[in-house]
């Protein structure tokens, strides 16, 4: 069986797309700012989850200048719940760069788009083709899957060699006319027709030309090497309350959730802190807290990130006097009222705890 000719492959996908595409707002614009926003939001995020964030950002920041001039805390607060917060920080920094250095105009080709912070090969190709009709192929998980199955490519899609093989093939297939619609079409085809599990092979217009279908390899392709086991971390949060207010701190660079706010954190290898460990930590913070002021630890909260699994327990502690300035200086903790806490950008896990235990 011969693989499909590029022109036939593109034509088939374009015809399929015209009948099956989902109308999505970023498909109805050629504004590079809106397309860039949608692409950054949709990285590692499902369309349904990303859609409200897209509307929120475009409403709050209709132009790249509005986003550039927004405070970082506000941008992170709008991003809250999407995860991968470095994307939000890069988004903000790139907006500043485009606004201040490029006069608000995005670069108009793939090579220059790639120079923007947070813009990788996929995003550069998406913006270049959707906004400027450049003949450059997008390569995301959906495209890998379709190409791997139809053309019978068994290279590991996570290996550098595999990525090159797929990119070379993808570049040969993208047509000169309608590169934008073709790119949308192949991704949509992967999302709706040639899905990871139970693809709709029986009613597939590429069935007669599909290597995986002919050879019974639909469940085998694409080949992806196993990811490393995630790192498991145990966080113990000291939720200090004095009067009606709480102590939180902004997370620093070098770890997850940079720029978001959480409580005083002790990390250990164990799920629960012993009483001795807790008293020792309070001693470091110069706090002599009567036992009745320490509430029962919360149930464990779990948050799964791409390479880490975080388990968190919260220890709500009622202080009889404020933390000393020495302690607040060394820990970065500051005092916040409940309404101030609402407005701070926080990891979802912290937000869930607050809803369950503090704001209930
Ligand atoms: S026949 Fe099945 S595996 Fe092949 S392209 Fe169509 S949906 Fe995908």
């Amino acid at each position: 069986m011969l693989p499909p000719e590029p022109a036939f492959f593109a034509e088939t996908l374009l015809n399929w797309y015209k009948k099956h595409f989902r109308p999505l707002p970023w498909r109805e614009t050629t504004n590079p700012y809106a397309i860039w926003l949608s692409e950054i939001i949709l990285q590692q995020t499902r369309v349904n989850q990303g859609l409200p964030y897209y509307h929120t950002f475009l409403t709050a920041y209709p132009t790249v200048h509005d986003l550039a001039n927004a405070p970082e805390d506000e941008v992170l607060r709008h991003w809250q719940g999407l995860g991968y917060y470095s994307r939000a920080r890069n988004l903000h920094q790139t907006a500043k760069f485009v606004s201040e250095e490029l006069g608000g105009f995005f670069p108009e080709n793939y090579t220059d788009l790639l120079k923007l912070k947070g813009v990788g090969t996929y995003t550069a190709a998406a913006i270049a083709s959707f906004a400027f009709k450049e003949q450059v192929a997008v390569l995301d998980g959906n495209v890998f899957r379709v190409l791997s199955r139809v053309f019978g490519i068994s290279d590991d899609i996570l290996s550098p060699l595999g990525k090159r093989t797929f990119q070379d093939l993808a570049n040969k297939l993208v047509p000169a006319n309608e590169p934008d619609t073709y790119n949308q079409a192949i991704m949509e085809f992967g999302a709706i027709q040639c899905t990871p599990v139970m693809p709709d092979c029986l009613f597939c217009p590429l069935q007669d030309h599909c290597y995986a279908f002919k050879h019974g390899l639909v469940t085998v392709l694409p080949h992806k090497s196993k990811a490393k086991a995630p790192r498991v971390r145990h966080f113990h949060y000291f939720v200090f309350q004095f009067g009606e207010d709480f102590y939180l701190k902004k997370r620093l660079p070098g770890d997850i959730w940079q720029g978001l706010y959480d409580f005083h954190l002790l990390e250990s290898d164990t799920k629960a802190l012993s009483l001795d460990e807790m008293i020792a930590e309070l001693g470091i913070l110069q706090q002599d807290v009567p036992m009745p002021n320490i509430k029962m630890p919360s149930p464990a909260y779990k948050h799964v990130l791409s390479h880490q699994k975080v388990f968190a327990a919260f220890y709500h502690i009622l202080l009889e006097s404020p933390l000393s300035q020495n302690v607040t200086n060394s820990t970065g903790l500051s005092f916040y009222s409940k309404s101030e806490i609402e407005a701070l950008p926080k990891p979802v896990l912290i937000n869930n705890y607050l809803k369950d235990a503090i704001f209930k």
Side-chain angles (χ1 to χ4, degrees), residues 69-115:
N69 293 329
E72 185 182 87
D73 274 5
E74 186 187 283
V75 174
L76 291 173
R77 182 70 180 82
H78 285 312
W79 192 268
Q80 189 172 296
L82 265 182
Y84 303 93
Y85 289 89
S86 58
R87 279 191 290 154
R89 285 191 302 276
N90 286 339
L91 181 92
H92 195 213
Q93 282 176 24
T94 298
K96 281 181 190 293
F97 177 76
V98 172
S99 170
E100 291 161 17
E101 306 293 327
L102 306 181
F105 296 99
F106 276 78
E108 297 191 2
N109 62 72
Y110 173 80
T111 309
D112 289 338
L113 282 160
L114 256 187
K115 293 176 189 159

Side-chain angles (χ1 to χ4, degrees), residues 146 149-150 189 193-195 199-202 204-207 210-213 218:
V146 174
R149 287 173 176 169
V150 174
F189 187 80
Q193 182 90 29
C194 192
T195 47
D200 191 3
C201 297
L202 280 186
C204 176
L206 287 169
Q207 192 201 79
C210 178
Y211 184 95
F213 183 77
V218 172

Side-chain angles (χ1 to χ4, degrees), residues 67-239:
L67 177 56
N69 293 329
E72 185 182 87
D73 274 5
E74 186 187 283
V75 174
L76 291 173
R77 182 70 180 82
H78 285 312
W79 192 268
Q80 189 172 296
L82 265 182
Y84 303 93
Y85 289 89
S86 58
R87 279 191 290 154
R89 285 191 302 276
N90 286 339
L91 181 92
H92 195 213
Q93 282 176 24
T94 298
K96 281 181 190 293
F97 177 76
V98 172
S99 170
E100 291 161 17
E101 306 293 327
L102 306 181
F105 296 99
F106 276 78
E108 297 191 2
N109 62 72
Y110 173 80
T111 309
D112 289 338
L113 282 160
L114 256 187
K115 293 176 189 159
L116 297 178
K117 198 163 188 175
V119 172
T121 50
Y122 163 77
T123 309
I127 303 170
S129 68
F130 302 155
F132 306 112
K133 285 192 178 282
E134 186 173 339
Q135 188 184 3
V136 50
V138 295
L139 193 54
D140 73 347
N142 288 317
V143 180
F144 273 120
R145 185 167 55 259
V146 174
L147 296 183
S148 165
R149 287 173 176 169
V150 174
F151 293 88
I153 303 171
S154 55
D155 296 28
D156 179 357
I157 64 172
L158 294 180
S159 72
L161 182 66
K163 280 183 188 159
R164 255 202 317 280
T165 305
F166 280 97
Q167 189 71 61
D168 288 349
L169 173 61
N171 287 344
K172 283 184 197 136
L173 294 169
V174 65
N177 64 328
E178 297 193 84
D180 47 347
T181 315
Y182 166 83
N183 276 334
Q184 294 282 14
I186 190 166
M187 289 194 288
E188 194 76 335
F189 187 80
I192 294 178
Q193 182 90 29
C194 192
T195 47
V197 181
M198 294 181 51
D200 191 3
C201 297
L202 280 186
F203 297 97
C204 176
L206 287 169
Q207 192 201 79
D208 288 345
H209 305 269
C210 178
Y211 184 95
F213 183 77
K214 287 279 175 211
H215 295 85
L217 294 172
V218 172
T219 55
V220 175
L221 294 174
H223 174 59
K224 192 175 172 183
S225 55
K226 281 221 161 41
K228 273 201 302 189
R231 175 183 169 202
V232 175
R233 303 176 71 178
H234 296 287
F235 286 4
H236 306 282
Y237 278 118
F238 287 58
V239 183

